[in-house]
Amino acid sequence: MKKQHLLYAMCAVAGALALFGVFSACGTLRTGEVFSKKPSAMQDGYMLIAPYRVDIAEDAKPQKGMVQLVDRNGIALHTWHTEAPVLVAHLQKNGTLFVSMTPSIDHTDYPGFGTTGVIQQLDWDGKVLWEHRDPQMTIDFEVMSDGSVAYLRWEEAPPSFAAQVRGGFKTATTSVWANDLVVVNRDRATTSVWHLSEKMKPYAYTINASAPRQEFAHANSIRYVPDNPITHAPAFVVSVRHISKVLLIDVETGDLAWESSDGLFSMQHDATLLPNGHLLAFDNGFARDHITALLSRAVEIDMETGLPVWTYDGGKTMTGKAQFASSIMGGAERLSNGNTFITLSTQGRVLEVTENGDIVWEYRYGTYAPDGELPILFRARLYEKGDAAWIPKVAWPSFFSSLFCKAGA
């Protein structure tokens, strides 16, 4: 009986230590604060974020980066550490992670803003499984079903193209940069290239007055769709910020199958195609109609009519609308329950809103850099609970978090 009592005592101590560890972890693993939470109306899942901050001073030391998988209480369930700050991250069902990073590279030969430079595939423990380096690589990329990667890169446009560019503010250089859409396979061999400068007429567009004429396009998001609603062929959906356009590019011909109408967007990000054939994007609203007011919105567009069918711009009050703003970056993701997952990048703020515009979850990133500056979140994504191989690895930590690490605790 004494041995049995000793065993009970050891189990009790172990349980107490485990609970102590959980309570301690609530503080040490909390990535931010959750201010609103309505579980019955939320989509169950885990948020992927990559806190981003780069010091561009000439004497700055190279910085590391990280990507975190976070539960709905704001607790980090898993962290990947990277060799450089991460802008975009895509988590795969097999538990590997693709990231685009901004290492210290020479940006003097092409625009520096929005340039990344390297895409890596990491295993669950952070080991590099695959990488592709291109110093002219821009922000976003898409992982294809065969393992190939489609990404965007800078391309210096021919002088004949540059001479026809309209709008924007003039810079010291007469060079104009457009974008390429490149696909590379697992051997890093280029299998296809789409040149914006060959498919678009620059005089048909006007660069936003707040953007440099040097950067005609500044493409910032790319998504692949196997059956687009316009031509029913494989296509890429590409957001082009400086001319405030979303393009639908036919994969086989390279022709523009569709483009958004003038004035629909203003410096938008994160264009995605929904199952209903509509387009969803985060419309930054920066310098809309050449005015200083900044009113952002998440907007769903019927591509056949070109008209908005759903919009969220901060709610019904002017205060809410004024606070719903991100001049750069930003994201909008439609969830399977019909809610929309929205990233206000410059605020480090993420919302889940219903079709009626009710906020059912609100998160604000809260881990400061050593100098006291709060990093931004380029784009948060919610990975819904399903049959992914990585789900069991975070299920128990998430379960304990739901019991002991309540939102705001």
Side-chain angles (χ1 to χ4, degrees):
M1 293 296 295
K2 291 184 178 181
K3 289 184 178 180
Q4 188 177 19
H5 291 162
L6 179 60
L7 181 60
Y8 289 154
M10 291 175 64
C11 290
V13 171
L17 289 174
L19 287 176
F20 177 77
V22 169
F23 281 113
S24 299
C26 291
T28 58
L29 298 180
R30 188 173 297 282
T31 61
E33 292 297 327
V34 175
F35 292 91
S36 178
K37 187 175 180 181
K38 300 177 181 178
S40 62
M42 290 164 43
Q43 177 63 56
D44 201 5
Y46 307 102
M47 178 174 64
L48 191 73
I49 58 173
Y52 183 83
R53 179 177 179 271
V54 172
D55 191 337
I56 60 175
E58 293 183 0
D59 59 347
K61 296 180 179 179
Q63 295 187 32
K64 302 293 185 179
M66 70 174 178
V67 180
Q68 293 180 303
L69 190 62
V70 180
D71 71 9
R72 305 310 292 272
N73 292 310
I75 304 300
L77 304 176
H78 189 71
T79 299
W80 293 264
H81 295 283
T82 58
E83 68 176 49
V86 173
L87 268 183
V88 175
H90 296 296
L91 180 59
Q92 307 299 294
K93 282 193 171 185
N94 63 3
T96 65
L97 181 78
F98 283 83
V99 295
S100 64
M101 299 180 289
T102 57
S104 299
I105 55 178
D106 186 2
H107 290 167
T108 58
D109 293 334
Y110 43 88
F113 293 105
T115 301
T116 49
V118 58
I119 295 173
Q120 288 185 343
Q121 180 186 15
L122 311 175
D123 69 10
W124 188 257
D125 298 318
K127 179 183 177 181
V128 178
L129 302 176
W130 181 88
E131 74 171 20
H132 177 70
R133 293 180 181 267
D134 181 346
Q136 293 180 210
M137 183 185 299
T138 64
I139 300 166
D140 203 7
F141 64 95
E142 177 83 314
V143 182
M144 312 291 282
S145 59
D146 64 354
S148 298
V149 174
Y151 70 94
L152 301 161
R153 72 188 307 272
W154 290 113
E155 176 201 36
E156 187 171 5
S160 58
F161 183 97
Q164 300 177 71
V165 171
R166 301 189 303 142
F169 61 83
K170 293 183 178 180
T171 58
T173 179
T174 59
S175 298
V176 170
W177 291 83
N179 290 118
D180 290 342
L181 193 165
V182 182
V183 180
V184 294
N185 61 23
R186 296 294 294 182
D187 295 325
R188 303 174 190 83
T190 300
T191 57
S192 66
V193 181
W194 180 84
H195 301 279
L196 180 150
S197 61
E198 294 179 357
K199 294 294 185 177
M200 300 179 70
K201 305 298 184 183
Y203 56 79
Y205 307 90
T206 302
I207 298 176
N208 190 294
S210 64
R213 185 171 296 183
Q214 179 191 19
E215 299 180 21
F216 172 78
H218 199 99
N220 57 32
S221 76
I222 175 175
R223 296 279 79 80
Y224 171 80
V225 292
D227 181 13
N228 79 78
I230 305 301
T231 64
H232 301 288
F236 287 108
V237 181
V238 176
S239 167
V240 186
R241 175 175 167 84
H242 284 178
I243 58 173
S244 300
K245 292 284 185 179
V246 174
L247 312 175
L248 190 65
I249 303 169
D250 188 285
V251 170
E252 296 178 0
T253 66
D255 295 333
L256 293 184
W258 181 90
E259 65 177 59
S260 57
S261 59
D262 292 342
L264 183 59
F265 298 115
S266 181
M267 309 286 271
Q268 77 292 328
H269 282 77
D270 196 19
T272 59
L273 194 64
L274 302 178
N276 63 4
H278 292 176
L279 182 77
L280 181 69
F282 182 85
D283 186 14
N284 296 78
F286 186 64
R288 187 188 302 277
D289 298 326
H290 309 294
I291 59 177
T292 56
L294 173 61
L295 298 175
S296 299
R297 62 179 182 165
V299 58
E300 179 183 343
I301 305 296
D302 183 332
M303 296 179 68
E304 293 186 358
T305 65
L307 299 175
V309 295
W310 180 85
T311 299
Y312 181 80
D313 59 2
K316 299 178 181 179
T317 68
M318 286 306 301
T319 300
K321 294 180 187 299
Q323 293 176 333
F324 189 82
S326 185
S327 58
I328 58 174
M329 308 181 186
E333 175 190 11
R334 181 60 48 80
L335 306 178
S336 63
N337 67 353
N339 292 350
T340 304
F341 204 63
I342 303 171
T343 309
L344 293 171
S345 299
T346 55
Q347 300 181 27
R349 184 180 171 203
V350 185
L351 306 173
E352 182 181 342
V353 300
T354 67
E355 184 179 358
N356 295 326
D358 297 323
I359 298 176
V360 297
W361 188 78
E362 178 176 355
Y363 165 90
R364 299 192 184 191
Y365 186 79
T367 303
Y368 287 82
D371 61 1
E373 185 174 337
L374 189 65
I376 59 177
L377 303 177
F378 181 85
R379 185 171 69 205
R381 279 289 187 259
L382 189 74
Y383 287 81
E384 301 178 12
K385 292 183 178 180
D387 58 354
W390 53 267
I391 293 292
K393 298 181 180 180
V394 297
W396 277 110
S398 178
F399 172 75
F400 283 113
S401 170
S402 66
L403 291 178
F404 302 111
C405 306
K406 297 300 182 182

